[in-house]
Amino acid sequence: MIPFSILDLAPVTAGSDAAQAFRNTLDLARLGERLGYRRYWLAEHHNMPGIASAATAVLIGHVAGGTSTIRVGAGGIMLPNHAPLQVAEAFGTLASLYPGRIDLGLGRAPGTDQATAKALRRYFDSADAFPQDVLELLAYFEPAVPGQQVRAVPGAGIDVPVWLLGSSLFSAKLSAQLGLPFAFASHFAPDAMDDALALYRRDFQPSARLQQPYAMLGLNVVAADSDAEARRLFTTQQQSFINLRRGRPGLIPPPIDDIESYWTPPEKLMVERALACAVIGAADTVQGGIEAFIARHKPDELLITANVFEHAARRHSFEIAAAVRDRLMAAG
């Protein structure tokens, strides 16, 4: 059975705040560690009231410091927002503090709106240099050589696994060229998933970092004690997508009983397309959905996310998903 991992957006729910979101994040990471999830990733977003993981490296340090074995990382750091040297220093620091446990996933989107992207980048307004920035960042993790004018301290010579993230063919192609592991954002942008996977696997070039292609796919998994309750919990994610598309991102909303009354027909089509990679239901339903997803796409790892309003229900969802993994492993 392939490994399961967790993607957490550090959700800030209606009626709560960032401090509670961080407590929930650490609690979920500790649960994931006990349940045998391989890694716990946090994602960089900005100017989004419902997502508290803007200072991603800081939050990774908090989670890594509060756990002991689970890998902790970024899914991802939006590289156009940062100087490669600063990213190398930050993750060199994390890997020095928590050796063998830190992952660095890189994306080329801003992770925010245009005005905020401009505020973040200040003097840089394009992601066109992403391939060159990735190469520069990788070089900072290599052992320093005599005469090297700029080095990452810490960072140089430290083993930090670097992944590329994407929702299109661009990062799939670059991952293959550089011989890096690849994570596809199928949990919210699945349209190019099959083509991206095929390109990555076909064109992969072995590197010192990775000898064989390794692809991780994002999957929404919302599990509960009944199919009906899981579908109700999933309305939180559906509402969040609609609110974002309406230009009104806010705190994560509670679930509702009738999602049909919330969205328009075009919005429904948009949400169902964006969240097509979703397994929603009780344990047996989730098991069938995950089995089918793995059989069709053959990922090397699943990155599971669950945007559930109530923290106890989100914990329970990941408990059910882990139990499903264990059942599949026993049956395999």
Side-chain angles (χ1 to χ4, degrees), residues 16-324:
S16 186
D17 57 21
Q20 184 60 54
F22 297 147
R23 288 191 289 270
N24 292 345
T25 283
L26 183 54
D27 180 67
L28 184 62
R30 288 169 170 165
L31 176 68
E33 184 170 79
R34 291 196 300 273
L35 294 174
Y37 285 92
R38 172 166 290 186
R39 61 188 93 239
Y40 195 96
W41 277 12
L42 295 142
E44 178 185 347
H45 293 81
H46 299 278
N47 198 32
M48 298 186 71
I51 299 177
S53 52
T56 317
V58 176
L59 192 53
I60 288 170
H62 174 63
V63 172
T67 53
S68 57
T69 58
I70 195 169
R71 298 193 66 89
V72 188
I77 293 294
M78 301 299 107
L79 190 53
N81 297 340
H82 309 276
L85 176 61
Q86 292 174 310
V87 176
E89 290 169 340
F91 279 80
T93 299
L94 288 167
S96 298
L97 288 168
Y98 310 106
R101 295 183 55 212
I102 301 299
D103 298 325
L104 172 55
L106 301 172
R108 70 184 185 106
T112 189
D113 57 87
Q114 289 186 347
T116 308
K118 184 177 180 181
L120 283 165
R121 298 173 185 175
R122 307 295 291 173
Y123 307 110
F124 180 67
D125 59 1
S126 172
D128 293 343
F130 181 72
Q132 291 74 31
D133 285 347
V134 171
L135 289 172
E136 181 182 346
L137 176 53
L138 291 173
Y140 287 130
F141 287 129
E142 295 296 319
V145 298
Q148 183 174 330
Q149 287 189 312
V150 179
R151 63 182 67 185
V153 182
I158 295 178
D159 180 21
V160 179
V162 175
W163 297 62
L164 295 191
L165 318 178
S167 58
S168 68
L169 301 185
F170 183 95
S171 289
K173 182 177 181 180
L174 186 59
S175 297
Q177 289 175 343
L178 299 181
L180 296 175
F182 177 54
F184 190 84
S186 35
H187 58 294
F188 73 88
D191 287 355
M193 173 174 55
D194 290 331
D195 289 341
L197 281 176
L199 185 154
Y200 172 67
R201 289 165 172 159
R202 184 193 69 217
D203 294 349
F204 182 84
Q205 298 293 316
S207 71
R209 287 180 167 267
L210 190 65
Q211 290 299 300
Q212 301 289 336
Y214 193 95
M216 180 161 60
L217 297 181
L219 182 65
N220 296 285
V221 177
V222 176
D225 292 334
S226 70
D227 287 356
E229 176 59 15
R231 287 193 296 269
R232 181 177 179 275
L233 295 177
F234 192 50
T235 62
T236 287
Q237 175 76 333
Q238 293 168 323
Q239 291 175 80
S240 294
F241 256 75
I242 295 166
N243 295 342
L244 184 62
R245 294 304 187 273
R246 290 175 178 174
R248 299 198 297 268
L251 301 180
I252 303 302
I256 55 177
D257 293 325
D258 182 17
I259 189 64
E260 298 298 331
S261 66
Y262 193 83
W263 55 24
T264 66
E267 287 173 338
K268 178 179 180 179
L269 290 174
M270 178 273 295
V271 172
E272 289 181 342
R273 181 171 179 175
L275 302 180
C277 291
V279 178
I280 313 299
D284 288 345
T285 303
V286 168
Q287 180 170 337
I290 288 178
E291 277 187 300
F293 186 83
I294 292 173
R296 177 179 176 184
H297 302 293
K298 297 179 173 56
D300 299 293
E301 188 170 336
L302 282 184
L303 185 63
I304 293 174
T305 188
N307 194 359
V308 173
F309 179 79
E310 185 184 2
H311 183 60
R314 190 159 72 123
R315 282 175 53 97
H316 189 45
S317 181
F318 281 105
E319 288 171 341
I320 294 172
V324 165

